[in-house]
Amino acid sequence: MADTQYDELGHLYDEHSATNATNAYYDRPAILELAGEVGGKRVLDVGCVGGHLARQLVERGAKVTGIDLSATMIDFARKRCPEAEFHQADLARPLDFLPSDAFDLVTASLVLHYLEDWGPPLAELRRVLEPGGVLVLSVHHPEDWHWFDRPDYFRTEPVDDVFTVAGRPMPVRFYRRPLSASFRALRQAGFAVDQLVEPMPLPGAKQTDPDFYPLLTTAPRFLYFRAISEEVPSGT
Protein backbone atom coordinates (compact mmCIF):
# COMPACT_ATOMS: atom_id res chain seq x y z
CA MET A 1 0.00 0.00 0.00
CA ALA A 2 1.57 3.28 -1.05
CA ASP A 3 1.67 5.76 1.79
CA THR A 4 0.57 8.52 -0.59
CA GLN A 5 -2.91 6.97 -0.69
CA TYR A 6 -3.44 8.20 2.86
CA ASP A 7 -1.00 11.12 2.92
CA GLU A 8 -2.53 13.22 0.13
CA LEU A 9 -5.97 13.41 1.78
CA GLY A 10 -4.75 12.63 5.28
CA HIS A 11 -6.63 15.29 7.22
CA LEU A 12 -9.86 14.52 5.38
CA TYR A 13 -9.49 10.78 5.86
CA ASP A 14 -8.75 11.22 9.55
CA GLU A 15 -11.99 13.16 10.06
CA HIS A 16 -13.89 10.71 7.86
CA SER A 17 -12.71 7.62 9.73
CA ALA A 18 -13.59 9.15 13.10
CA THR A 19 -17.35 9.11 12.55
CA ASN A 20 -18.35 7.28 9.38
CA ALA A 21 -20.62 4.25 9.69
CA THR A 22 -18.10 1.73 8.36
CA ASN A 23 -15.26 2.56 10.74
CA ALA A 24 -17.00 3.92 13.83
CA TYR A 25 -20.06 1.67 13.97
CA TYR A 26 -18.95 -1.48 12.19
CA ASP A 27 -15.23 -2.18 12.02
CA ARG A 28 -13.80 -0.81 15.28
CA PRO A 29 -16.61 -2.24 17.45
CA ALA A 30 -16.10 -5.68 15.86
CA ILE A 31 -12.33 -5.53 16.43
CA LEU A 32 -12.81 -4.52 20.07
CA GLU A 33 -15.38 -7.25 20.63
CA LEU A 34 -12.99 -9.93 19.36
CA ALA A 35 -10.10 -8.43 21.32
CA GLY A 36 -12.03 -8.90 24.57
CA GLU A 37 -10.63 -7.63 27.86
CA VAL A 38 -7.48 -5.64 27.12
CA GLY A 39 -6.73 -4.08 30.50
CA GLY A 40 -3.04 -4.43 31.27
CA LYS A 41 -2.27 -6.07 27.92
CA ARG A 42 0.49 -5.06 25.53
CA VAL A 43 -1.17 -4.36 22.19
CA LEU A 44 0.34 -3.78 18.76
CA ASP A 45 -2.10 -1.81 16.58
CA VAL A 46 -1.09 -2.54 12.99
CA GLY A 47 -2.26 -0.04 10.38
CA CYS A 48 -3.20 2.35 13.17
CA VAL A 49 -4.01 5.25 10.78
CA GLY A 50 -5.05 8.26 12.91
CA GLY A 51 -5.12 6.39 16.22
CA HIS A 52 -8.88 6.04 16.70
CA LEU A 53 -8.66 2.36 17.65
CA ALA A 54 -5.53 2.97 19.71
CA ARG A 55 -7.43 5.66 21.64
CA GLN A 56 -10.18 3.19 22.54
CA LEU A 57 -7.70 0.48 23.48
CA VAL A 58 -5.83 2.85 25.80
CA GLU A 59 -9.09 3.92 27.40
CA ARG A 60 -9.73 0.23 28.13
CA GLY A 61 -6.41 -0.04 29.95
CA ALA A 62 -4.11 -1.40 27.24
CA LYS A 63 -0.50 -0.42 26.68
CA VAL A 64 -0.49 0.34 22.95
CA THR A 65 2.17 0.52 20.26
CA GLY A 66 0.92 1.54 16.82
CA ILE A 67 2.49 1.27 13.39
CA ASP A 68 1.41 2.67 10.04
CA LEU A 69 2.99 3.26 6.66
CA SER A 70 1.69 6.83 6.40
CA ALA A 71 3.70 9.55 8.13
CA THR A 72 0.62 11.78 8.06
CA MET A 73 -1.48 9.21 9.88
CA ILE A 74 1.24 8.67 12.47
CA ASP A 75 1.24 12.41 13.22
CA PHE A 76 -2.52 12.33 13.80
CA ALA A 77 -2.21 9.22 15.98
CA ARG A 78 0.44 10.79 18.21
CA LYS A 79 -1.74 13.84 18.77
CA ARG A 80 -4.90 11.84 19.38
CA CYS A 81 -3.34 9.27 21.70
CA PRO A 82 -0.18 10.61 23.36
CA GLU A 83 -0.24 7.78 25.90
CA ALA A 84 0.64 5.28 23.14
CA GLU A 85 3.86 4.81 21.16
CA PHE A 86 3.72 5.11 17.37
CA HIS A 87 6.16 4.26 14.60
CA GLN A 88 6.09 4.71 10.85
CA ALA A 89 6.69 1.22 9.48
CA ASP A 90 5.98 -0.92 6.43
CA LEU A 91 4.20 -4.16 7.32
CA ALA A 92 5.61 -5.72 4.16
CA ARG A 93 9.11 -5.43 5.66
CA PRO A 94 10.60 -6.96 8.82
CA LEU A 95 9.62 -5.14 12.01
CA ASP A 96 13.17 -5.32 13.35
CA PHE A 97 12.63 -2.52 15.87
CA LEU A 98 10.06 -4.66 17.73
CA PRO A 99 11.38 -7.45 19.97
CA SER A 100 10.05 -11.00 19.85
CA ASP A 101 7.32 -12.05 22.29
CA ALA A 102 6.65 -8.38 23.08
CA PHE A 103 2.84 -8.31 22.76
CA ASP A 104 -0.19 -10.12 24.09
CA LEU A 105 -2.49 -8.89 21.32
CA VAL A 106 -2.14 -7.65 17.75
CA THR A 107 -4.96 -5.78 16.05
CA ALA A 108 -4.86 -5.41 12.27
CA SER A 109 -7.89 -3.43 11.19
CA LEU A 110 -8.49 -3.31 7.42
CA VAL A 111 -4.82 -3.44 6.50
CA LEU A 112 -3.77 -6.91 5.29
CA HIS A 113 -5.85 -6.72 2.11
CA TYR A 114 -3.41 -4.06 0.90
CA LEU A 115 -0.71 -6.74 0.74
CA GLU A 116 -0.46 -9.41 -1.95
CA ASP A 117 1.67 -11.82 0.11
CA TRP A 118 0.55 -12.41 3.70
CA GLY A 119 3.37 -14.84 4.51
CA PRO A 120 6.18 -12.52 5.72
CA PRO A 121 3.93 -10.03 7.58
CA LEU A 122 2.03 -12.79 9.39
CA ALA A 123 5.33 -14.42 10.33
CA GLU A 124 6.47 -11.11 11.83
CA LEU A 125 3.22 -10.66 13.73
CA ARG A 126 3.57 -14.16 15.15
CA ARG A 127 7.17 -13.41 16.12
CA VAL A 128 6.25 -10.32 18.13
CA LEU A 129 3.35 -12.11 19.84
CA GLU A 130 3.87 -14.24 22.92
CA PRO A 131 2.95 -17.91 22.41
CA GLY A 132 -0.78 -18.06 22.99
CA GLY A 133 -1.13 -14.39 22.03
CA VAL A 134 -4.05 -13.23 19.95
CA LEU A 135 -4.24 -11.72 16.47
CA VAL A 136 -7.51 -9.94 15.60
CA LEU A 137 -7.82 -8.80 12.02
CA SER A 138 -10.37 -7.53 9.54
CA VAL A 139 -10.16 -7.63 5.75
CA HIS A 140 -12.45 -7.23 2.79
CA HIS A 141 -14.91 -10.08 2.57
CA PRO A 142 -14.07 -12.66 -0.13
CA GLU A 143 -17.48 -11.93 -1.63
CA ASP A 144 -15.84 -8.80 -3.01
CA TRP A 145 -15.36 -10.68 -6.27
CA HIS A 146 -19.03 -9.87 -6.93
CA TRP A 147 -18.66 -6.20 -6.04
CA PHE A 148 -15.94 -5.72 -8.66
CA ASP A 149 -17.34 -8.14 -11.23
CA ARG A 150 -14.25 -10.37 -11.17
CA PRO A 151 -14.42 -13.56 -13.26
CA ASP A 152 -12.50 -15.90 -10.90
CA TYR A 153 -13.30 -16.17 -7.18
CA PHE A 154 -10.22 -18.32 -6.52
CA ARG A 155 -7.69 -15.81 -7.83
CA THR A 156 -5.66 -13.54 -5.55
CA GLU A 157 -5.44 -10.34 -7.57
CA PRO A 158 -5.14 -6.56 -7.32
CA VAL A 159 -8.29 -4.48 -7.51
CA ASP A 160 -8.50 -0.72 -7.94
CA ASP A 161 -11.23 1.12 -6.08
CA VAL A 162 -12.19 4.70 -5.28
CA PHE A 163 -13.31 5.83 -1.82
CA THR A 164 -15.27 9.04 -1.41
CA VAL A 165 -13.79 11.06 1.44
CA ALA A 166 -15.44 14.39 2.27
CA GLY A 167 -16.88 14.42 -1.23
CA ARG A 168 -13.50 13.89 -2.89
CA PRO A 169 -12.34 10.72 -4.70
CA MET A 170 -9.55 8.73 -3.06
CA PRO A 171 -8.08 6.02 -5.34
CA VAL A 172 -6.85 2.89 -3.55
CA ARG A 173 -5.51 -0.50 -4.60
CA PHE A 174 -5.95 -3.67 -2.58
CA TYR A 175 -5.74 -7.44 -3.14
CA ARG A 176 -8.76 -9.68 -3.06
CA ARG A 177 -8.42 -13.38 -2.30
CA PRO A 178 -10.61 -16.43 -1.61
CA LEU A 179 -11.41 -17.47 1.95
CA SER A 180 -9.24 -20.57 1.62
CA ALA A 181 -6.18 -18.41 0.89
CA SER A 182 -6.70 -16.42 4.10
CA PHE A 183 -7.03 -19.59 6.19
CA ARG A 184 -3.99 -21.15 4.54
CA ALA A 185 -1.82 -18.09 5.17
CA LEU A 186 -2.79 -17.98 8.84
CA ARG A 187 -2.14 -21.68 9.35
CA GLN A 188 1.19 -21.58 7.53
CA ALA A 189 2.28 -18.69 9.75
CA GLY A 190 1.53 -20.72 12.88
CA PHE A 191 -1.86 -19.34 13.86
CA ALA A 192 -4.92 -21.33 14.87
CA VAL A 193 -8.17 -19.62 13.88
CA ASP A 194 -10.32 -19.32 16.98
CA GLN A 195 -13.25 -17.30 15.59
CA LEU A 196 -14.50 -16.25 12.17
CA VAL A 197 -17.05 -13.44 12.35
CA GLU A 198 -19.34 -11.57 9.95
CA PRO A 199 -20.62 -8.85 12.30
CA MET A 200 -23.61 -6.55 12.30
CA PRO A 201 -23.07 -2.79 12.69
CA LEU A 202 -24.02 -0.92 15.83
CA PRO A 203 -27.44 0.81 15.68
CA GLY A 204 -25.78 4.21 15.34
CA ALA A 205 -24.79 3.28 11.78
CA LYS A 206 -28.41 3.69 10.69
CA GLN A 207 -28.52 7.33 11.75
CA THR A 208 -25.02 8.06 10.48
CA ASP A 209 -25.51 6.60 7.00
CA PRO A 210 -29.11 5.50 6.37
CA ASP A 211 -28.37 4.71 2.72
CA PHE A 212 -25.44 2.40 3.48
CA TYR A 213 -26.96 0.77 6.55
CA PRO A 214 -29.12 -1.73 4.60
CA LEU A 215 -26.03 -3.02 2.80
CA LEU A 216 -24.13 -3.48 6.07
CA THR A 217 -26.99 -5.55 7.48
CA THR A 218 -27.86 -7.68 4.44
CA ALA A 219 -24.57 -8.31 2.58
CA PRO A 220 -21.06 -9.13 3.86
CA ARG A 221 -18.53 -6.30 3.67
CA PHE A 222 -15.65 -7.30 5.92
CA LEU A 223 -14.47 -10.57 7.41
CA TYR A 224 -13.00 -10.88 10.93
CA PHE A 225 -10.55 -13.44 12.28
CA ARG A 226 -9.47 -14.10 15.84
CA ALA A 227 -6.37 -16.29 15.67
CA ILE A 228 -4.10 -17.73 18.36
CA SER A 229 -0.32 -17.82 18.06
CA GLU A 230 0.65 -21.44 18.57
CA GLU A 231 3.72 -22.44 20.52
CA VAL A 232 6.71 -23.58 18.51
CA PRO A 233 7.30 -27.27 19.24
CA SER A 234 10.43 -27.90 21.30
CA GLY A 235 13.45 -28.94 19.29
CA THR A 236 12.43 -26.93 16.21
Side-chain angles (χ1 to χ4, degrees):
M1 175 179 56
D3 56 351
T4 55
Q5 292 182 166
Y6 288 91
D7 281 337
E8 291 174 0
L9 297 177
H11 67 290
L12 295 177
Y13 183 78
D14 183 65
E15 295 173 2
H16 172 77
S17 63
T19 59
N20 76 84
T22 301
N23 295 110
Y25 295 99
Y26 182 57
D27 181 64
R28 285 197 293 272
I31 291 287
L32 290 168
E33 177 71 20
L34 283 174
E37 175 57 52
V38 297
K41 291 186 177 179
R42 302 160 300 164
V43 180
L44 177 64
D45 184 16
V46 175
C48 63
V49 288
H52 296 287
L53 179 61
R55 176 75 264 162
Q56 292 182 275
L57 289 165
V58 165
E59 289 172 353
R60 287 163 170 77
K63 181 180 179 181
V64 178
T65 300
I67 63 172
D68 199 274
L69 184 59
S70 166
T72 299
M73 292 294 100
I74 289 294
D75 286 342
F76 280 117
R78 287 172 175 158
K79 293 173 183 176
R80 177 166 288 110
C81 191
E83 304 93 328
E85 179 181 326
F86 295 98
H87 303 272
Q88 184 181 7
D90 187 348
L91 186 57
R93 298 178 180 275
L95 304 175
D96 295 334
F97 60 96
L98 296 175
S100 299
D101 303 334
F103 298 97
D104 308 296
L105 170 68
V106 170
T107 59
S109 170
L110 302 177
V111 62
L112 280 172
H113 50 238
Y114 290 111
L115 303 176
E116 182 176 11
D117 184 1
W118 284 14
L122 284 179
E124 277 293 271
L125 296 184
R126 181 168 181 255
R127 179 185 66 79
V128 302
L129 271 172
E130 280 197 337
V134 175
L135 167 64
V136 174
L137 68 93
S138 58
V139 291
H140 283 178
H141 199 283
E143 275 293 292
D144 58 3
W145 77 301
H146 288 312
W147 314 341
F148 296 99
D149 196 27
R150 306 308 301 163
D152 183 356
Y153 167 80
F154 295 101
R155 184 183 303 168
T156 296
E157 60 184 340
V159 176
D160 292 312
D161 194 10
V162 178
F163 297 163
T164 300
V165 177
R168 296 177 59 178
M170 181 177 173
V172 295
R173 168 169 285 190
F174 64 91
Y175 290 86
R176 65 150 313 276
R177 70 197 71 228
L179 179 60
S180 57
S182 299
F183 262 97
R184 183 167 57 250
L186 285 164
R187 291 299 300 145
Q188 289 177 344
F191 287 96
V193 175
D194 179 52
Q195 293 187 54
L196 179 69
V197 179
E198 297 167 312
M200 288 289 106
L202 297 183
K206 187 172 185 179
Q207 287 73 44
T208 302
D209 195 337
D211 294 329
F212 194 49
Y213 182 77
L215 180 59
L216 289 176
T217 55
T218 60
R221 298 299 296 180
F222 302 145
L223 191 64
Y224 294 76
F225 293 89
R226 185 179 189 273
I228 311 300
S229 174
E230 298 182 314
E231 292 193 35
V232 178
S234 60
T236 60

